Amino acid sequence: MRAHAGARFAIPAGPLPYNAHATIGYIRHGRWEQVKVEDFRVKPGTSISLAEIDPDDTAGLKGKDDARDELKKIRMRISAMQERLWAEHRQSLLVVLQATDTGGKDGTIKHVFKGINPQGCRVWGFKVPSQEEADHDVLWRYHRRAPAKGMITVFNRSQYEEVLVVRVKQLVPKKVWEQRYEMINQFEEILARSGTRIIKLYLHISKDEQKERLRARLDQPDKRWKFSIGDLDDRARWDDYQRAFEDAINRCSTDYAPWYVIPANHKWARDVIVARAVLKTLEDMNPRFPPEEPGLDEVVIPD
Ligand code: AMP
Ligand code: MG
């Protein structure tokens, strides 16, 4: 053990400050272009209305080719940052993905996290709770999957299901789910104070786009396995779900765990915007390689 290990593992008190104005950038067409991701962040204390956010927005990207080039560059940088995070072993990143059916959670994970060292990344999906999960407190199954130091963890669905499907389908009384927004904020604050940075991404598609995507699942034999007739029941409750998403986003976007509304009708733009948000967050976290042991210059490897 190194003598000064204690200092390196010290965790700052209080929630980690979120630097909303930090920007990332690229050399593009021979010019340095800054990329802002805070346009899609829901500022704490403000209220968004999903109907006013354009799901067709492409965030300045010119088209698929442009997006593919940028995504490749960002992925390389995410990979490099992940290596530092892993080596530093002091902080962790939790990326929460929520969306309606066909919103693109699976595709986003596949495209954005491709190429990351599998050892440093975990993806957890949450379905209807098992008996064991249901027998515990409502946040138990999420807390036990929260990232360990050095890790990037992606939640495909999350603690927010407890105020989304549970609310819309009235699986518990209103007075029970009403308390959960505050519980979720407290839960996320506990994680943040323990060195976990959290970003929450809502993939925003239109009702028409969902129709197209459900149709495509029926039309393509190798997509049919993804189609569940129950999805139509959820589609019939579209407006209730939109309201539930809005409440979750407006009541739970905090400095320590911000929500982003990601325009997601165009998959290529969605992937880049998500990748930008992940990269920017990692750059804000600024993970560093641990200091080397003293005396390495004098080391001679024995024969
Ligand atoms: P999928 O992610 O499409 O495989 O489906 C998972 C299903 O589990 C969705 O229909 C979710 O609404 C449902 N689900 C996830 N979490 C919960 C929960 N806490 N209570 C009830 N249903 C849930
Ligand atoms: Mg589904």
Side-chain angles (χ1 to χ4, degrees):
M1 272 313 274
R2 297 179 185 120
H4 54 287
R8 279 199 297 118
F9 286 77
I11 298 200
L16 300 169
Y18 181 84
N19 182 359
H21 302 291
T23 50
I24 51 177
Y26 311 89
I27 304 285
R28 192 149 64 171
H29 310 306
R31 275 194 315 133
W32 175 258
E33 279 187 26
Q34 280 201 331
V35 169
K36 290 202 182 95
V37 290
E38 70 263 30
D39 295 351
F40 301 101
R41 189 176 66 101
V42 177
K43 287 156 200 72
T46 63
S47 261
I48 56 103
S49 152
L50 288 175
E52 288 167 14
I53 299 176
D54 180 10
D56 279 309
D57 191 347
T58 60
L61 291 155
K62 309 227 164 26
K64 280 188 186 176
D65 290 346
D66 200 21
R68 193 184 312 114
D69 290 349
E70 185 174 327
L71 188 58
K72 266 192 212 146
K73 285 185 204 159
I74 303 183
R75 273 203 306 249
M76 277 162 56
R77 286 169 64 176
I78 290 177
S79 239
M81 295 304 284
Q82 184 272 332
E83 198 176 330
R84 285 168 181 259
L85 190 72
W86 172 264
E88 180 191 58
H89 200 79
R90 189 175 161 274
Q91 321 174 64
S92 61
L93 174 63
L94 174 60
V95 179
V96 165
L97 282 177
Q98 287 286 165
T100 56
D101 285 309
T102 74
K105 300 185 297 295
D106 297 323
T108 300
I109 295 168
K110 181 170 158 185
H111 294 126
V112 174
F113 296 94
K114 181 160 101 181
I116 267 196
N117 183 344
Q119 190 158 234
C121 185
R122 298 265 183 289
V123 181
W124 295 105
F126 297 96
K127 308 212 178 248
V128 177
S130 67
Q131 188 63 53
E132 190 192 21
E133 289 169 340
D135 284 347
H136 285 80
D137 77 84
V138 69
L139 295 176
W140 179 76
R141 68 172 182 162
Y142 309 105
H143 202 165
R144 66 201 290 256
R145 303 301 185 206
K149 291 198 190 333
M151 296 295 297
I152 297 177
T153 290
V154 182
F155 279 2
N156 182 343
R157 302 184 188 271
S158 69
Q159 58 274 19
Y160 287 94
E161 290 297 324
E162 309 299 339
V163 290
L164 292 168
V165 63
V166 170
R167 162 177 161 167
V168 170
K169 296 205 171 154
Q170 300 176 12
L171 304 181
V172 300
K174 181 171 184 191
K175 68 176 193 316
V176 174
W177 60 254
E178 266 284 341
Q179 305 169 359
R180 292 183 174 170
Y181 299 97
E182 192 190 348
M183 288 165 66
I184 290 172
N185 285 338
Q186 290 171 344
F187 164 60
E188 292 175 356
E189 191 170 355
I190 290 170
L191 298 185
R193 283 180 185 245
S194 310
T196 298
R197 187 65 76 96
I198 306 165
I199 55 170
K200 301 172 306 203
L201 311 175
Y202 170 66
L203 308 179
H204 181 42
I205 60 166
S206 62
K207 197 173 178 190
D208 287 346
E209 179 65 20
Q210 187 189 56
K211 186 174 185 183
E212 292 288 308
R213 292 186 187 184
L214 286 170
R215 175 91 256 148
R217 284 184 181 180
L218 281 182
D219 289 349
Q220 288 165 262
D222 60 350
K223 290 264 177 75
R224 282 201 163 197
W225 67 273
K226 279 194 161 194
F227 195 96
S228 113
I229 296 189
D231 293 349
L232 297 183
D233 181 43
D234 283 341
R235 179 169 167 81
R237 303 167 194 257
W238 178 271
D239 292 341
D240 290 346
Y241 269 107
Q242 293 291 292
R243 260 198 302 281
F245 276 118
E246 275 171 357
D247 278 351
I249 292 166
N250 289 332
R251 297 173 75 167
C252 300
S253 196
T254 55
D255 281 326
Y256 50 87
W259 267 107
Y260 291 76
V261 176
I262 309 288
N265 270 4
H266 300 288
K267 295 173 181 173
W268 45 270
R270 169 202 75 199
D271 290 341
V272 172
I273 302 167
V274 168
R276 286 174 181 171
V278 170
L279 177 60
K280 182 197 164 305
T281 305
L282 284 164
E283 291 189 344
D284 266 4
M285 291 166 73
N286 193 19
R288 290 156 194 262
F289 290 118
E292 59 182 51
E293 273 186 58
L296 290 192
D297 288 342
E298 285 77 54
V299 169
V300 179
I301 311 286
D303 292 333

